[in-house]
Amino acid sequence: MEKIRKILALAEKEVLIDIVKNVQKRKMKGAKGEWKEFLVEYDSQLGDSLLDPNKRPPACLVAFLNTFTKEQDLEFFEKIMTYHSNRKAIEQLNKSCIDVQSSPQKLASLTFEHPEYPKCFSFPSYDEDWVMTKIGKVSKAIKSTRMLSVDCEMVLCEDKTESLVQVCVVNRNLEVKLNELVKLDKPVLDYRTQIHGINAKDLERATCSLEDIQKSMKKLLSDGVVLIGHSLDKDLKALKVDHSRVIDTSLIFKYPEGHTHKRPSLNHLCKTVLGYDLREDGAPHNCLADAQAAMKLVLAKLENKFDGIIPLKIKEVPGSDGVIPLKSKKVFVIESVELFFHEVPIAVPQRQLRRLFPEDSTVKLQASLTGENVYNSSAVFKDSMEACNAFESFKGEEGKDSSGVPQKLISLDIKYGKCAGSVSFYVRKVLKKVSSDENPADKGSIQFEETKEQNKKPIKNSDQCDQVKEIQRLKKDLSDRSPANKRSIQVEETKDQNKKQKKHSDQCDHVEEIQRLKKEIKERESELTKAHNIMADLIKKRGL
């Protein structure tokens, strides 16, 4: 208690104000009542006429907080002070010279600076069932290379909240520091066994409570330890632990497009960076393997001396964990990345643009005149990684063009004839993609591919079956394309037509059916002209 009082006496006014405001919000009472009641007794002149803590001197705020003696109240005060202490330490760590910071601390700063960090890592840290770790002395933390990786599994409870059921922690040597099942304290709505493989029977042998896990985590996360994880904010929410120094592998790796809201899956990162599949499609998560994978990703980044966020170059597939959803089942591969210099003043020659890149760069510049005083130029690279690194190296105001593509506004000092000054122009990324399978320009069109030999062959029984199938498919296609307010295609088939597949003599009936469909297609309005052309192509190819 005395320790807390000493800290309060030395605390900055900003911290004291925050504590008093939270006390007011929770309607907490000290030995002299709530804030308003305290002021009546403490200040005989103003009384409770000035309730705003911002307008009260620090001595008044400290005097009020010293009226609290309950242990749980003092623990609450300590949480708020720890929160402010951590934020101040983080600011000092990030302002420190980059040469002083250890490599893990640099990556932690990279996570902290990500646009998604404030939204993802803002926790209700003051809540009673949450714990908050301490960064410790900045001088020690800034040089710390200690790292731990964590992964958690959760179930959905009847109150629609998630509860922790397993936690795994490993060190940088991939050694297990913690691997425990966690006892549930609420009724379960969905065990999510299909995701993590844990069922109700498995949890019967759990001996640790959430509070036990939190105590273990506090011991592990001390003196500047950096905590690693993939979509780590979800794990920390499940643990109800607020740890300020983190590396989130879903934030330090990004796609070439630069859209910060897109996060790669852990499995995709393992394929891209580590070169192996974390798990087969449909297989349940392995908590320990996922924690180790996140650590391996960070070690790979450190060992390869990646100074910034690196792009991913291989194909992406639909999945969970915030993976980029694709609009179709087609899978695309990034073939190359170019940089595009837009509206470059004519006073800037191509050779000066070339000087923006290292001498050993593989870049080739291709200019195109677009205006009287400006031109565009494409910078083509042999390696997409080189292009991305070049873009990252350019100094300038970063933003996005009207299509959401990352771009930077570059300024150059030039001399042009007798004139000298500064000019500005944009450089943006251009992705070139190829599909790993066929991607028709019009997905709704019907494509028939046949060889010349097939066109010349006489129609056999198997060909009759194909004709019947194609007729049925065309009927369905015509029906699907018809507007709701148009009459549907009604096709009457006789019992004899069901036997046509076996009779060569019924070929003419097939032809008549096709011709009848063709006639109905012609009667359609303009939106069905495409279907008519398809039918005509079919008749032509069959030689009927």
Side-chain angles (χ1 to χ4, degrees):
M1 184 182 297
E2 285 301 318
K3 181 181 178 182
I4 296 293
R5 297 196 186 288
K6 288 180 180 178
I7 296 174
L8 285 171
L10 298 173
E12 296 179 0
K13 185 177 179 179
E14 176 190 356
V15 179
L16 296 171
I17 291 170
D18 194 20
I19 298 175
V20 173
K21 283 185 175 181
N22 275 280
V23 167
Q24 283 181 282
K25 191 185 299 182
R26 288 167 171 76
K27 297 183 178 180
M28 296 168 61
K29 291 184 179 182
K32 295 184 180 180
E34 294 184 17
W35 171 243
K36 185 175 181 179
E37 296 167 334
F38 165 80
L39 289 177
V40 171
E41 183 178 337
Y42 179 81
D43 192 338
S44 57
Q45 292 183 346
L46 294 175
D48 61 355
S49 63
L50 194 61
L51 287 174
D52 187 355
N54 289 286
K55 297 179 180 179
R56 292 286 183 171
C60 176
L61 303 175
V62 172
F64 170 62
L65 297 176
N66 281 336
T67 65
F68 290 83
T69 56
K70 292 180 182 178
E71 186 176 348
Q72 63 182 28
D73 293 339
L74 298 178
E75 287 178 356
F76 178 65
F77 297 169
E78 187 176 13
K79 275 187 179 181
I80 298 177
M81 287 188 287
T82 300
Y83 176 86
H84 284 275
S85 174
N86 284 346
R87 292 300 175 271
K88 188 174 181 179
I90 288 174
E91 289 177 6
Q92 292 177 350
L93 281 167
N94 291 336
K95 288 179 181 178
S96 302
C97 178
I98 195 168
D99 295 332
V100 179
Q101 293 183 7
S102 66
S103 296
Q105 296 297 337
K106 291 177 185 177
L107 289 185
S109 294
L110 194 62
T111 298
F112 181 78
E113 292 164 1
H114 195 280
E116 291 288 298
Y117 180 89
K119 180 177 69 175
C120 297
F121 289 87
S122 295
F123 304 126
S125 313
Y126 301 164
D127 285 359
E128 187 177 347
D129 53 351
W130 274 72
V131 298
M132 201 178 307
T133 61
K134 296 180 180 179
I135 289 181
K137 293 183 178 180
V138 174
S139 57
K140 287 185 178 180
I142 202 169
K143 297 179 181 179
S144 174
T145 58
R146 293 178 59 203
M147 297 187 296
L148 292 173
S149 180
V150 66
D151 187 73
C152 297
E153 301 296 349
M154 287 76 81
V155 296
L156 181 65
C157 297
E158 289 183 358
D159 62 358
K160 305 300 182 183
T161 62
E162 290 187 330
S163 283
L164 181 72
V165 290
Q166 187 181 14
V167 56
C168 291
V169 179
V170 299
N171 62 16
R172 67 185 301 154
N173 295 322
L174 307 182
E175 298 167 342
V176 178
K177 306 302 290 183
L178 184 66
N179 188 359
E180 293 287 350
L181 292 174
V182 184
K183 291 188 296 184
L184 290 165
D185 57 359
K186 290 187 288 188
V188 177
L189 179 65
D190 183 2
Y191 279 92
R192 296 175 175 171
T193 304
Q194 74 279 8
I195 296 176
H196 47 59
I198 301 170
N199 54 40
K201 191 173 181 180
D202 294 328
L203 293 174
E204 289 177 1
R205 67 174 189 269
T207 58
C208 290
S209 65
L210 175 61
E211 189 176 355
D212 295 330
I213 298 298
Q214 288 175 329
K215 288 178 181 178
S216 298
M217 293 298 294
K218 282 191 77 172
K219 290 179 182 177
L220 291 169
L221 300 173
S222 59
D223 299 327
V225 172
V226 176
L227 186 63
I228 297 165
H230 188 82
S231 295
L232 182 57
D233 54 305
K234 296 177 182 178
D235 297 312
L236 291 176
K237 285 175 184 174
L239 289 164
K240 294 188 176 179
V241 171
D242 187 351
H243 184 68
S244 302
R245 213 60 185 152
V246 298
I247 298 174
D248 192 328
T249 52
S250 72
L251 298 183
I252 62 172
F253 295 90
K254 75 173 182 181
Y255 292 94
E257 291 91 338
H259 298 301
T260 55
H261 65 280
K262 296 181 179 180
R263 296 203 204 180
S265 69
L266 183 59
N267 195 39
H268 178 50
L269 281 174
C270 286
K271 285 182 183 180
T272 308
V273 181
L274 304 179
Y276 74 91
D277 286 320
L278 181 59
R279 51 181 156 267
E280 296 180 0
D281 292 340
H285 293 189
N286 182 312
C287 195
L288 178 58
D290 287 5
Q292 291 174 332
M295 178 62 77
K296 289 177 185 177
L297 287 167
V298 171
L299 292 174
K301 195 171 178 72
L302 294 176
E303 289 168 5
N304 288 281
K305 297 181 180 178
F306 295 124
D307 295 327
I309 300 176
I310 70 170
L312 308 177
K313 297 192 297 178
I314 69 166
K315 63 186 179 183
E316 177 65 284
V317 295
S320 58
D321 299 330
V323 179
I324 300 175
L326 298 180
K327 293 182 179 178
S328 71
K329 294 181 179 178
K330 304 299 176 185
V331 178
F332 292 95
V333 180
I334 302 298
E335 184 184 42
S336 65
V337 179
E338 296 179 2
L339 299 184
F340 182 69
F341 294 98
H342 180 54
E343 295 187 353
V344 183
I346 215 75
V348 181
Q350 284 274 92
R351 62 179 180 275
Q352 189 150 357
L353 288 182
R354 181 61 179 80
R355 293 191 190 118
L356 293 171
F357 305 95
E359 289 185 7
D360 58 351
S361 174
T362 64
V363 66
K364 289 186 178 180
L365 297 176
Q366 300 172 354
S368 59
L369 195 64
T370 58
E372 186 176 345
N373 298 312
V374 295
Y375 69 95
N376 296 340
S377 183
S378 297
V380 184
F381 297 80
K382 291 183 178 179
D383 179 61
S384 59
M385 178 72 77
E386 183 184 356
C388 291
N389 289 338
F391 181 82
E392 296 294 338
S393 68
F394 290 146
K395 294 181 179 180
E397 182 181 347
E398 189 165 357
K400 294 179 182 178
D401 66 5
S402 57
S403 301
V405 177
Q407 68 177 10
K408 288 184 178 180
L409 181 61
I410 296 179
S411 296
L412 283 181
D413 293 326
I414 63 162
K415 289 184 178 180
Y416 187 62
K418 297 181 180 179
C419 301
S422 178
V423 296
S424 298
F425 51 90
Y426 287 99
V427 59
R428 67 173 66 118
K429 290 183 181 179
V430 178
L431 296 182
K432 288 199 172 182
K433 299 182 180 180
V434 293
S435 174
S436 61
D437 54 3
E438 293 183 7
N439 185 24
D442 185 358
K443 295 181 182 179
S445 65
I446 303 172
Q447 296 183 347
F448 301 99
E449 295 183 0
E450 299 197 13
T451 62
K452 293 179 181 179
E453 289 77 15
Q454 288 175 325
N455 290 333
K456 294 177 182 178
K457 288 181 181 178
I459 299 175
K460 299 180 181 179
N461 289 343
S462 60
D463 293 329
Q464 297 175 36
C465 295
D466 291 338
Q467 283 185 347
V468 172
K469 290 178 181 179
E470 291 191 45
I471 289 170
Q472 292 172 343
R473 185 156 61 86
L474 281 168
K475 290 175 185 176
K476 184 178 183 302
D477 183 73
L478 288 170
S479 178
D480 291 342
R481 288 164 181 261
S482 297
N485 60 347
K486 299 291 183 181
R487 64 183 183 85
S488 62
I489 300 175
Q490 297 179 342
V491 181
E492 297 180 359
E493 297 183 336
T494 64
K495 295 180 180 179
D496 293 335
Q497 287 175 325
N498 294 330
K499 300 178 181 178
K500 287 179 182 179
Q501 297 181 17
K502 299 180 180 179
K503 294 182 179 181
H504 180 73
S505 61
D506 290 330
Q507 296 174 20
C508 293
D509 291 334
H510 294 159
V511 176
E512 290 175 1
E513 179 71 355
I514 292 173
Q515 290 173 339
R516 187 173 67 81
L517 285 172
K518 176 184 175 183
K519 184 178 178 180
E520 289 208 28
I521 292 171
K522 287 181 178 180
E523 294 172 352
R524 292 284 178 182
E525 294 184 18
S526 60
E527 69 267 22
L528 295 178
T529 55
K530 187 179 292 186
H532 163 67
N533 293 333
I534 293 168
M535 180 62 73
D537 289 342
L538 175 62
I539 295 172
K540 184 178 179 180
K541 288 182 180 179
R542 289 295 185 188
L544 300 177

